[in-house]
Amino acid sequence: MALPLPSFPMRTLSFFSGVLIAAFAMAGTLGVTPVAAQNNSLKSTASTEQVRAELMAYAPQGVPVGQTGALAGTGASVAAGQSTQEAPVWVGLQLTHAPHWHTYWKNSGDSGLPTELEWTLPPGVMAGDIAWPLPRKFPIGQLANYGYDGTVLLPVPLTITPEYKPSAFSNTLDVKLKASWLVCRQECIPQDAEFALQIPLRSSTALNGSAFEAAFKSQPQQVEGAHRIELRDGGKRLSVRVEGLPSALQGQVLEMFPETPQVLLTAATPATAGQAPTPSTWSQRWDGKVWTADFPLSPDRSESPSMMPLVLVSGGQGWRAEVPVEGPWPAVAQAATVSPALEAALKANADSQPTTAPPNTAVPAATFMLALVGALIGGLVLNLMPCVFPVLAIKVLGFAQHAQDKRAHRVSGLAYTAGVVLSFLALGALMLGLRAAGEQLGWGFQLQSPAVVAALAVLFTVIGLNLAGLFEFGSFLPSRVATMEAKHPAANSFLTGVLAVAVASPCTAPFMGASLGLAVGLPAMQALLVFGAIGLGMALPYLAASWLPAVARMLPKPGAWMIVFKQFMAFPMFGTVAWLLWVLGQQSGIDGAAALIALLVALAFLLWAVGLGGRTRWSMTALSALALVLLAGAIGPNVVKPMEEAPASASVSTGQRWQPWSHERVAQTLAAGQPVFVDFTAAWCVTCQYNKKTTLNNSDVLAAFDAAKVQTLRADWTRRDPVISAELQRLGRSGVPVYVLLAPGRDPVVLSEILSVADVKAALGRI
């Protein structure tokens, strides 16, 4: 008697592929995760190679809605020395500069432009001026600039007027900002970005309080007195007199920063003791309690102010004096929109920059063909990933079943290939579309969604239980539905290809990272060709086998071994579920993983019950279905609820080897002269975990890190992080793993995705 041939039911794939498609669509619509739906759709950060910018808010007493006496002060009042606490709501742009780069103060000096902020606020809310922190002087050759390096916050007070009347359903004050700045080293690069932020109306906002308090302390204090500026030497020099400074400053050397641009000679140097004034030097002295200075005018002067605000700085503290000018000004030089020095710097920068293709432009044919070959090879290597093996093992049963049916074999191969290629194209198009809409996404983004991870865990549990023999679909489905697989074997193969892509795409492999990184910057058609090449590479082994008769003849004939093999293949399925539960635990915490385990047990109970016979079947099915519904309502939300992150100060100790990655930590470490190794990883990335166990935790590698005094940082991309996504894009990658070694004064070194001890030690030996 012929034994029944086991096969994977098309009905299971059909149903759960629909669940997965819905989960993917929801992930794309809602920003991939529930947290993203609430926060990450608003971009509060922007990063370039030179600057990381972040929009921040500070409202320790909340937003005073409907309080007529709670109007915020303006930037001018703060600059005039009034208390910064007059403004109950503050927003600000924090700029973190890469080493040796700087942006500019309100008076940028000879060759810069001040940072500009353009706000979009609800009716009844007004933004004041920037409360500029104390600047520093940057001499550059014969020029000098005023500005900031390191990290600086530019705070701005908000005025909440009685006319601000949010709707009853509004919980936030929506703030939008368009900012532009000029960042310079020896060359200058204009940059701009748009930001958005939501400030809670009914709770305090003090997460960034320390940054704002530091900015407030860096504000100059107002000095009152009979100050005076006199024009001398035929209007070529200014004599400055400032009274009322603290007595502790008497006898000290002060730095002077004029707020009015293009008046004084910014690059003037202090005169030595006893030196006569020259056209390029300035001098200062104390006449009792009065500070006086003699300063040359700029030959390119374009302003003739009657009042000159001056900021005097000593020891990190500042004082501001509004000084009237006495005497007639000489004729001014012709005003220029951009100073000649800045224009020359921008032109030199443009000439020195290598010509690169702007985003979404075609690349040379040779480069594009290399990307296609790399994508094809990367797709081939995906078949070796352990997350793909359980799905491909299902097809082994199909191979054996159709070993003597050449036509069925070929149809199955074509259908499987179509499922794989079209799925890669669909995921690629979704990612490109979301990125074009402004989302910071990378390849594998679907497994950053707890909903998608949970759906895959449910799907693999059902597959495993079916393969183990716990239930058969034919026992509770109508006969017409139960025979659909026999009538539509091609659809079964197609959906198997879809499933294979769903679990394989996050497993980036050698040659694949660079190709995907290139693809996201190509025109849509070329980018989709790269994604299609990855799918073709993944499906190629099965496609070739289905069309080569020699492979079919090598397969064993159908028999009893297939039942044993079918039951054995349930265990890789359950192993995949265990991996997915671990991934979910990294996203939703132990409560989310435990909730999904309980729901999977309840689902298994239901599937067992519907396979029973007689009256017992109906009573047990009703009981198990009720239990599943009650559990889903009680603990189901925990599955997709994002885990709250502990503050970095509480979760990371200074001596811990792998510190969390951030732009600030990289910049600070490099500025201290220490190399940095960054591991861009994710819990759902199998290659990442393999490299971590075999290489990054290797004692020889750790000893090499210590010998080279390398700071090791880890950028965890398990959950969606737009900042990490942007950094991966800057490195020319679109997924993880990515390993980067940085050393002061050197270009970043990106290592291979399949990491070895020898690779890491060789890279460390070159720094």
Side-chain angles (χ1 to χ4, degrees), residues 28-305:
T29 302
L30 298 183
V32 178
T33 67
V35 170
Q38 299 173 12
N39 299 318
N40 289 337
S41 60
L42 299 172
K43 294 179 179 58
S44 61
T45 62
S47 297
T48 68
E49 293 184 9
Q50 299 78 23
V51 174
R52 180 182 184 273
E54 181 176 1
L55 177 59
M56 295 179 172
Y58 181 55
Q61 282 82 42
V63 178
V65 179
Q67 302 178 23
T68 57
L71 300 184
T74 66
S77 68
V78 174
Q82 297 183 16
S83 172
T84 56
Q85 301 306 319
E86 290 182 6
V89 181
W90 286 85
V91 289
L93 185 67
Q94 184 181 73
L95 301 175
T96 301
H97 306 80
H100 313 299
W101 292 86
H102 60 269
T103 53
Y104 293 95
W105 187 50
K106 62 192 304 182
N107 174 11
S108 58
D110 287 323
S111 60
L113 293 172
T115 299
E116 296 184 356
L117 307 181
E118 181 180 340
W119 301 94
T120 301
L121 301 167
V125 180
M126 297 181 294
D129 299 327
I130 297 174
W132 295 93
L134 298 176
R136 58 163 293 195
K137 189 175 182 178
F138 296 92
I140 302 178
Q142 300 299 316
L143 307 176
N145 300 323
Y146 302 141
Y148 309 98
D149 57 2
T151 299
V152 64
L153 175 64
L154 305 179
V156 172
L158 296 186
T159 300
I160 313 298
T161 72
E163 284 71 32
Y164 174 59
K165 297 179 180 179
S167 69
F169 301 100
S170 177
N171 296 317
T172 59
L173 167 61
D174 295 338
V175 177
K176 294 183 179 180
L177 168 65
K178 182 177 181 180
S180 60
W181 60 87
L182 184 72
V183 59
C184 295
R185 190 170 52 182
Q186 291 180 341
E187 65 272 31
C188 293
I189 303 175
Q191 297 177 345
D192 60 76
E194 295 187 10
F195 306 85
L197 194 66
Q198 292 182 327
I199 305 176
L201 291 178
R202 297 172 178 84
S203 62
S204 62
T205 302
L207 181 63
N208 301 307
S210 59
F212 278 90
E213 292 296 337
F216 297 155
K217 291 179 181 179
S218 186
Q219 299 297 313
Q221 302 176 27
Q222 188 73 12
V223 177
E224 303 295 342
H227 315 309
R228 185 175 72 249
I229 289 178
E230 292 180 352
L231 287 157
R232 292 185 176 178
D233 294 342
K236 294 180 180 180
R237 303 185 71 86
L238 290 182
S239 177
V240 182
R241 178 184 176 90
V242 177
E243 299 180 354
L245 291 170
S247 58
L249 290 179
Q250 294 180 23
Q252 295 187 19
V253 177
L254 307 182
E255 289 186 276
M256 187 177 76
F257 298 92
E259 292 187 2
T260 308
Q262 299 179 2
V263 174
L264 300 182
L265 182 63
T266 307
T269 57
T272 58
Q275 178 184 2
T278 69
S280 61
T281 62
W282 73 288
S283 61
Q284 61 176 302
R285 69 180 187 275
W286 287 88
D287 291 338
K289 297 182 180 180
V290 179
W291 182 82
T292 64
D294 183 80
F295 219 101
L297 293 182
S298 170
D300 299 318
R301 180 181 62 86
S302 60
E303 299 291 337
S304 301

Side-chain angles (χ1 to χ4, degrees), residues 621-700:
T621 297
L623 177 63
S624 58
L626 179 62
L628 180 60
V629 171
L630 292 177
L631 271 178
I635 63 176
N638 290 331
V639 174
V640 295
K641 181 181 180 181
M643 178 175 59
E644 294 185 3
E645 296 189 43
S649 59
S651 60
V652 181
S653 62
T654 304
Q656 184 174 329
R657 177 177 292 277
W658 290 96
Q659 300 281 331
W661 170 89
S662 69
H663 283 286
E664 294 85 352
R665 186 170 274 120
V666 171
Q668 292 170 2
T669 306
L670 292 176
Q674 186 178 4
V676 176
F677 181 88
V678 185
D679 171 21
F680 291 89
T681 185
W684 40 261
C685 170
V686 178
T687 310
C688 303
Q689 305 310 317
Y690 173 82
N691 290 336
K692 189 182 299 182
K693 299 295 183 184
T694 61
T695 302
L696 296 182
N697 290 341
N698 182 277
S699 58
D700 291 341

Side-chain angles (χ1 to χ4, degrees), residues 459-482:
L459 172 58
F460 275 84
T461 299
V462 173
I463 294 173
L465 293 176
N466 176 257
L467 293 174
L470 181 70
F471 74 98
E472 295 293 339
F473 280 89
S475 62
F476 62 90
L477 290 178
S479 59
R480 185 173 63 176
V481 177

